């Protein structure tokens, strides 16, 4: 889930990372791309605007722009704000209190309430509870039957009173039934309803009063667009939501609705549905998802470590040099490598760099410490002239370097090839395929 | 004919009234006391983005309007929304539903789409509509996967007085399709409607299964079905584009049904779908009742979104 957004932000920040100092305009440019990415992920327009305003306020502060690694600082801020927007740690179901404890499910038509209700019952049963499913959708054809079939599949009892009894009455009777039969949790499915349907919104409010639920969960389709906030706000105003469940996340929906809903209601996303099978329900971990949206791996740890160990002056020079468009030399390559090695085992580091974890599997780029020492030896066996201008390294020089470093000519060849690839990549990143496309007005003008 | 069109237009506007109120309100707000400047375009962009039109399509629409404004030296802000409406109409493709079979056998429709989009309900409404016209209708229960999906469709078939062909839950949907076409031909029904299970468009094996259902129907019919309709929930955001692309790879879609437009969702993503894939919108759903289905007319749709009551009827 969220891959596309994550990829986008990665490319934005890769561009930023190539730079040394950042101007306010640089930050704005990057944030505009963030904005585009969020909008394309269906995050609500207003939520995006407020989010970016918060990020910008922090990002153009003096310490950030004048810091050694402004781009990283901006990434860090975006990450922190995104995590804050999604909520803190995983919010569990709160099912304390005297049994039977009730859970009320609510949502639009077709959002996946019935399936999710059964999934929750299955999960609770596996945790040793004795759930009762309650069929409260008296409108949609065969909705009761659907819940009964699911109840049978998971071995959980289903309470129903047909289609003629008003759902608030069903709620009341279900509680009595649960008490009598020793069910400690009551999960009530309800009919899908539009948030603007006054009659049905009144009805669900009455269901709530009869049921006195500990949890009121809004079930939202992950594919929902901008309207998600209107829906969530309306349900929240009526019912006081305690949580949200996002369904159908096993497809390619980017799930921006999750961000929007959390932002407008403050209700945490508690679970996500990731398949049609009844075990496809996962707890939602906001902090992980936020990292995932940015594709950040553990970039924060990386930044911290880099700041502790890197020679700040050397790094600054390197970045400035690359930003000027000067080519990477083998000397730079070696210097970088030595600096990075001080930070810890390389494969571990590589895993922390966004976008780099995929490079791990590219043949020829796999990292092991032995290989690294070999590379060091090879470069150290070159003349300064050769390091600055590898083009002059012909066959006889290669043989000499191999002998001098105790390696084979193939090793030298491979290093030169890798270096050439890296240099090409750096050129590409620095050139940064500037997007000339006009981007949706200016967020920051007003 | 003219009268009938008007009345359905009126009903469309009823169904869309909430949508219209929201959008018109915004457009007016955007125009209040303003001249034609960059800010106006930005506000129009905001309105479109908030209607789920999507970034790319929005930029393209508004750029087109911007070009026209400068070419024609338009100064009055109130002239701008009609230009935008025009651009939107140009992008939106719509086609009426095919109502006569393209060859031998019954008029045949297939409904496909993601879970919960409204496929079954849409077919139920269509069955009722054809039955009311005195047509003999047969419905094939191709959703053999979701719990009680067959029962749900059976209720709709009974409501409409339509024939119903189904197998056991869990059976092969292509076999159900085969049975349905055979029964329809043998009984000489006028209309054959085939439901399918909801599936996310990224599930390769399920999409292959759908392709097979389509091929079986086409083979047994001796021709393509008259409509292969992608049913899309009107509240869907940008994912509708992925739905349209990937479903069309699996089956040759003939059009889109946009459901649940009785809420506050704007359904603007159909503009993107239309622009990028050229898929026409054929029907819209505006409620859960048997009558809550409307033919789609792009001009009326955009008018209903942009014009206020008076100017629409006086135009
Ligand atoms: N408000 C509203 N609800 C609809 C509309 N079309 C379908 N629904 C509801 O959406 C839910 C899912 O519909 P269903 O036909 O079962 O979807 P399927 O899974 O695609 O077959 C049901 O509760 C329907 O009553 C519509 O146009 N408006
Ligand atoms: Mg169905």
């Amino acid at each position: 889930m969220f891959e596309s957004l994550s990829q986008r932000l990665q490319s934005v920040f890769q561009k930023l990372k190539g730079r040394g100092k950042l101007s306010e305009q640089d930050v704005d440019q990057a944030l505009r791309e963030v904005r585009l990415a969020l909008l394309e992920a269906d995050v609500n327009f207003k939520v995006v605007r407020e989010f970016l305003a918060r990020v910008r306020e922090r990002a153009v502060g003096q310490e950030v722009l004048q810091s050694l690694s402004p781009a990283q600082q901006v990434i860090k801020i975006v990450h922190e704000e995104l995590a804050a927007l999604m909520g803190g740690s995983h919010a569990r179901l709160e099912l304390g209190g005297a049994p039977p404890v009730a859970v009320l499910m609510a949502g639009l038509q077709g959002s996946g309430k019935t399936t999710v209700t059964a999934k929750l019952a299955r999960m609770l049963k596996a945790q040793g509870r004795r759930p009762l499913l309650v069929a409260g959708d008296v409108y949609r054809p065969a909705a009761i039957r659907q819940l009964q079939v699911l109840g049978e599949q998971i071995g959980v009892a289903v309470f129903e009173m047909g289609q003629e009894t008003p759902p608030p009455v069903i709620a009341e009777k279900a509680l009595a039934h649960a008490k009598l039969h020793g069910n400690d949790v009551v999960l009530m499915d309800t009919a899908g309803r539009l948030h603007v349907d006054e009659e049905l919104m009144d009805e669900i409010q009455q269901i709530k009063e009869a049921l006195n639920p500990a949890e009121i969960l809004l079930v939202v389709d992950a594919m929902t667009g901008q309207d998600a906030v209107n829906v969530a706000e309306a349900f929240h105003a009526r019912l006081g939501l305690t949580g949200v469940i996002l369904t159908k996340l096993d497809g390619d929906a980017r799930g921006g609705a999750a961000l929007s809903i959390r932002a407008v209601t403050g209700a945490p996303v508690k679970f996500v549905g990731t398949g049609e099978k009844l075990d496809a329900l996962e707890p939602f971990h906001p902090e992980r998802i936020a990292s995932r949206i940015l594709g950040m791996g553990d970039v924060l740890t990386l930044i911290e470590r880099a700041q502790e160990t890197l020679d700040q002056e050397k790094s600054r020079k390197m970045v400035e040099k690359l930003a000027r468009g000067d080519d990477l030399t083998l000397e730079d390559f070696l210097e970088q490598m030595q600096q990075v090695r001080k930070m810890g085992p390389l494969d571990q580091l590589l895993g922390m760099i966004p976008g780099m974890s995929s490079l791990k599997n590219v043949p020829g780029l796999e990292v092991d410490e032995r290989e690294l020492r070999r590379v060091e030896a090879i470069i150290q066996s070159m003349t300064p002239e050769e390091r600055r201008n590898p083009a002059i390294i012909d066959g006889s020089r290669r043989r000499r370097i191999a002998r001098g470093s105790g390696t084979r000519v193939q090793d030298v060849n491979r290093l030169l090839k890798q270096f050439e690839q890296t240099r090409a990549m750096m050129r590409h990143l620095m050139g940064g395929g500037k997007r000339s496309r006009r981007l949706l007005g200016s967020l920051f003008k007003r | 004919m003219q009268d009938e069109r008007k009345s359905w237009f009126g009903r469309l506007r009823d169904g869309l009234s909430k949508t219209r109120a929201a959008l018109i309100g915004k457009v007016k707000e955007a125009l209040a006391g303003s001249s034609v400047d960059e800010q106006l375009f930005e506000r129009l962009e905001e309105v479109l983005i908030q209607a789920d039109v999507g970034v790319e399509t929005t930029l393209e629409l508004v750029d087109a309007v911007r070009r026209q404004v400068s070419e024609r030296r338009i100064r009055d802000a109130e002239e701008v929304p009609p230009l935008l409406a025009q651009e939107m109409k140009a992008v939106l493709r719509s086609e009426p539903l095919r109502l006569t079979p393209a060859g031998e056998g019954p008029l045949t429709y297939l409904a496909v789409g993601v879970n919960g989009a409204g496929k079954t309900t849409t077919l139920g409404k269509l069955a009722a509509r054809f039955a009311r016209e005195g047509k003999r209708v047969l419905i094939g229960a191709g959703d053999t996967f979701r719990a009680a999906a067959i029962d749900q469709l059976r209720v709709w078939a009974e409501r409409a007085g339509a024939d119903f062909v189904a197998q056991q839950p869990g059976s092969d949907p292509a076999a159900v399709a085969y049975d349905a076409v055979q029964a329809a031909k043998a009984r000489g029904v006028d209309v054959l409607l085939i439901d399918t299970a909801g599936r996310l468009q990224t599930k390769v094996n399920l999409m292959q299964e759908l392709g097979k259902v389509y091929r079986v129907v086409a083979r047994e019919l001796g021709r393509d079905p008259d409509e292969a309709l992608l049913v899309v929930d009107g509240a869907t955001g940008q994912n509708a584009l992925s739905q349209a692309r990937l479903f069309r790879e699996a089956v040759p879609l003939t059009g889109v049904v946009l459901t649940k437009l009785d809420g506050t969702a704007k359904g603007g993503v159909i503009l993107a779908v239309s622009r990028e894939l050229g898929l026409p919108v054929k029907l819209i759903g505006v409620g859960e009742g048997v009558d809550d289905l409307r033919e789609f007319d792009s001009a009326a749709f955009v008018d209903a979104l942009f014009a206020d009551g008076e100017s629409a009827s006086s135009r």
Side-chain angles (χ1 to χ4, degrees):
Chain A
M1 57 183 117
F2 295 121
E3 280 87 356
S4 316
L5 175 56
S6 151
Q7 279 163 9
R8 272 206 89 106
L9 294 187
Q10 276 185 37
S11 79
V12 172
F13 288 128
Q14 237 150 27
K15 275 179 233 162
L16 263 190
K17 262 184 280 175
R19 311 260 188 101
K21 278 193 195 130
L22 292 184
S23 66
E24 255 185 69
Q25 282 98 313
D26 290 335
V27 173
D28 285 350
Q29 174 64 25
L31 292 189
R32 257 180 225 129
E33 299 243 10
V34 172
R35 175 184 198 226
L36 209 59
L38 292 171
L39 285 176
E40 281 176 0
D42 290 323
V43 181
N44 182 265
F45 180 84
K46 288 187 186 130
V47 174
V48 172
R49 183 153 66 188
E50 281 156 26
F51 173 75
L52 288 184
R54 271 199 306 281
V55 171
R56 186 177 192 274
E57 195 177 318
R58 290 181 56 192
V60 297
Q62 287 303 310
E63 317 94 86
V64 173
L65 290 186
Q66 280 167 19
S67 74
L68 180 64
S69 51
Q72 277 90 338
Q73 301 294 331
V74 174
I75 294 177
K76 194 172 161 191
I77 293 167
V78 172
H79 177 269
E80 282 170 6
E81 289 293 333
L82 207 51
L85 191 63
M86 299 296 284
S89 52
H90 167 53
R92 314 172 157 278
L93 284 184
E94 300 291 343
L95 297 177
V101 183
V103 179
L104 177 61
M105 311 297 289
L108 299 180
Q109 292 93 342
S111 57
K113 287 173 300 302
T114 309
T115 309
V116 162
T117 311
K119 285 178 179 179
L120 279 176
R122 183 192 165 280
M123 181 193 81
L124 290 169
K125 186 185 172 201
Q127 292 170 1
R129 312 206 56 149
R130 297 199 58 210
L132 177 70
L133 285 165
V134 182
D137 181 354
V138 299
Y139 304 108
R140 208 202 67 197
I144 296 174
R145 183 84 201 110
Q146 184 185 354
L147 193 66
Q148 283 173 326
V149 171
L150 297 178
E152 251 164 59
Q153 283 173 13
I154 57 176
V156 169
V158 176
F159 180 83
E160 57 99 7
M161 298 177 73
Q163 290 188 298
E164 303 307 322
T165 314
V169 176
I170 299 176
E172 207 181 299
K173 294 276 189 318
L175 285 178
H177 181 96
K179 249 176 231 152
L180 205 64
H181 292 81
N183 300 107
D184 53 3
V185 189
V186 171
L187 299 158
M188 182 154 178
D189 186 24
T190 60
R193 65 201 71 221
L194 285 172
H195 54 295
V196 287
D197 188 328
E198 285 301 317
E199 213 174 300
L200 285 182
M201 290 305 278
D202 281 345
E203 181 201 85
I204 199 161
Q205 214 171 347
Q206 285 163 24
I207 297 177
K208 176 192 167 183
E209 275 152 29
L211 197 64
N212 188 24
E215 287 276 1
I216 302 168
L217 302 173
L218 181 70
V219 181
V220 181
D221 187 323
M223 297 177 274
T224 313
Q226 297 285 316
D227 200 40
V229 294
N230 300 328
V231 173
E233 261 170 354
F235 273 96
H236 190 51
R238 283 285 189 144
L239 300 174
L241 301 172
T242 62
V244 174
I245 299 183
L246 206 62
T247 62
K248 309 180 198 172
L249 257 179
D250 45 326
D252 56 355
R254 304 196 202 167
L259 268 83
S260 310
I261 292 175
R262 165 73 213 209
V264 299
T265 64
V269 178
K270 295 198 166 178
F271 293 93
V272 295
T274 55
E276 292 188 73
K277 298 224 177 73
L278 294 176
D279 57 358
L281 183 73
E282 294 172 14
F284 184 75
H285 290 283
E287 72 281 21
R288 285 186 215 161
I289 292 284
S291 289
R292 201 174 158 153
I293 288 173
L294 289 173
M296 302 213 8
D298 203 4
V299 79
L300 298 183
T301 318
L302 186 65
I303 291 171
E304 275 156 25
R305 237 191 261 179
Q307 281 173 341
E308 283 161 21
T309 49
L310 290 186
D311 181 326
Q312 314 260 322
E313 197 44 41
K314 275 185 187 165
S315 299
R316 183 197 291 276
K317 278 201 187 123
M318 170 72 85
V319 169
E320 276 169 8
K321 176 178 169 179
L322 293 175
R324 271 200 312 273
D326 290 2
D327 257 344
L328 193 71
T329 68
L330 275 159
E331 257 163 357
D332 304 328
F333 196 63
L334 182 62
E335 195 176 281
Q336 285 296 296
M337 217 172 262
Q338 286 167 338
Q339 289 236 2
V340 170
R341 272 192 67 187
K342 281 193 282 183
M343 289 166 58
L346 254 184
D347 49 348
Q348 196 191 323
L349 290 180
L350 210 54
M352 293 181 195
I353 303 173
M356 284 298 178
S357 43
S358 54
L359 283 183
K360 261 184 171 174
N361 305 322
V362 177
L365 273 178
E366 70 274 331
V367 192
D368 75 68
E369 292 286 313
R370 258 192 2 241
E371 167 80 16
L372 196 70
R373 276 197 292 278
R374 204 180 307 155
V375 167
E376 229 167 10
I378 294 173
I379 297 180
Q380 271 157 358
S381 297
M382 295 175 183
T383 65
E385 171 66 10
E386 284 166 345
R387 288 180 210 163
R388 272 192 300 274
N389 186 11
I392 62 168
I393 306 180
D394 57 10
S396 74
R397 284 176 192 255
R398 282 173 205 225
R399 281 192 296 277
R400 192 206 76 235
I401 293 167
R403 262 198 321 276
S405 57
T407 59
R408 294 166 305 167
V409 175
Q410 297 100 288
D411 295 326
V412 178
N413 289 344
R414 195 167 64 222
L415 168 68
L416 288 172
K417 202 168 155 199
Q418 277 180 13
F419 170 73
E420 203 37 62
Q421 283 170 352
T422 307
R423 188 152 73 167
M425 195 170 86
M426 293 306 280
R427 277 195 205 119
H428 179 71
L429 288 180
M430 293 300 136
K434 261 176 222 139
R435 296 179 56 137
S436 54
R437 181 160 132 211
R438 198 185 54 80
L439 296 166
L440 273 180
S442 165
L443 172 64
F444 310 108
K445 261 201 256 168
R446 64 192 76 126
Chain B
M1 186 63 213
Q2 192 57 34
D3 275 324
E4 206 192 317
R5 210 195 108 97
K6 228 181 195 166
S7 69
W8 99 247
F9 176 67
R11 277 180 290 140
L12 167 71
R13 294 213 327 203
D14 283 350
L16 294 173
S17 58
K18 293 169 202 100
T19 311
R20 188 163 45 100
L23 205 57
I24 296 304
K26 277 185 201 142
V27 172
K28 272 197 166 157
E29 195 186 300
L31 292 185
S34 64
S35 54
V36 182
D37 57 9
E38 208 29 48
Q39 237 191 0
L40 170 66
F41 296 122
E42 280 173 25
R43 276 145 122 186
L44 290 174
E45 282 172 356
E46 284 175 18
V47 172
L48 293 182
I49 289 288
Q50 286 181 285
D52 285 320
V53 172
V55 172
E56 244 184 76
T57 305
T58 294
L59 289 181
E60 201 169 282
L61 286 169
V62 175
D63 276 346
V65 172
R66 195 184 274 110
R67 271 197 303 278
Q68 286 207 43
V69 162
S70 85
E71 269 165 30
R72 291 158 56 178
R73 289 172 220 258
I74 290 167
R75 297 243 162 67
D76 183 358
E78 291 194 41
E79 278 181 56
V80 177
L83 287 181
L84 182 56
Q86 238 172 44
E87 289 298 329
M88 290 168 73
K89 280 177 214 165
V91 166
L92 254 185
R93 298 224 315 123
S94 74
E95 260 172 34
L97 220 45
R98 275 212 201 115
L99 295 174
T100 48
E104 300 247 319
L107 180 72
T108 304
Y109 293 179
L110 188 70
V112 304
V114 298
N115 316 69
K119 293 174 292 300
T120 306
T121 308
T122 299
L123 290 185
K125 293 172 184 173
L126 280 169
R129 176 178 142 171
F130 284 119
R132 215 167 27 222
E133 288 168 8
K135 302 250 166 66
R136 182 160 174 208
V137 181
L138 187 144
I139 306 181
D143 183 355
T144 59
F145 182 81
R146 209 206 66 200
I150 298 171
D151 300 301
Q152 181 189 354
L153 192 60
R154 183 180 287 117
V155 172
W156 279 104
E158 281 163 8
R159 274 182 196 166
D163 287 18
F164 189 64
V165 168
Q167 291 185 7
Q168 290 305 305
S171 54
D172 178 8
V176 177
Y178 176 90
D179 279 3
V181 180
Q182 291 307 330
K185 289 202 298 194
R187 298 177 204 176
V189 303
D190 304 302
V191 181
L192 168 62
L193 305 174
I194 299 174
D195 195 16
T196 62
R199 67 201 74 221
L200 296 185
Q201 69 274 17
T202 49
K203 311 263 160 155
V204 175
N205 54 342
L206 294 182
M207 295 309 278
Q208 281 168 350
E209 177 194 271
L210 192 64
K212 189 172 156 209
V213 169
Y214 184 93
R215 283 193 301 277
V216 167
V217 172
R219 190 187 67 214
E220 295 312 308
L221 208 56
R223 59 182 175 84
D224 281 336
D226 299 286
E227 298 281 2
L229 298 167
L230 176 68
V231 182
V232 176
D233 186 324
T236 311
Q238 300 311 300
N239 192 256
L241 270 169
S242 162
Q243 291 174 26
R245 273 187 217 122
L246 294 177
F247 271 98
R248 196 168 65 169
E249 277 175 25
V251 297
L253 299 176
T254 57
V256 174
V257 181
L258 198 63
T259 63
K260 309 184 196 175
L261 283 184
D262 43 331
T264 51
K266 318 289 187 289
V269 71
I270 47 158
L271 277 149
V273 168
S274 218
R275 184 183 76 105
E276 200 176 298
L277 301 163
L279 264 183
V281 189
K282 300 218 160 180
L283 290 169
I284 60 172
V286 292
E288 295 183 86
V290 79
D291 293 322
D292 296 329
L293 194 64
R294 306 274 181 275
E295 304 230 337
F296 183 79
D297 177 317
S298 61
F301 183 77
V302 172
D303 278 346
L305 289 179
F306 270 93
D308 55 37
E310 296 82 56
S311 63
S313 51
S314 63
R315 204 171 288 148

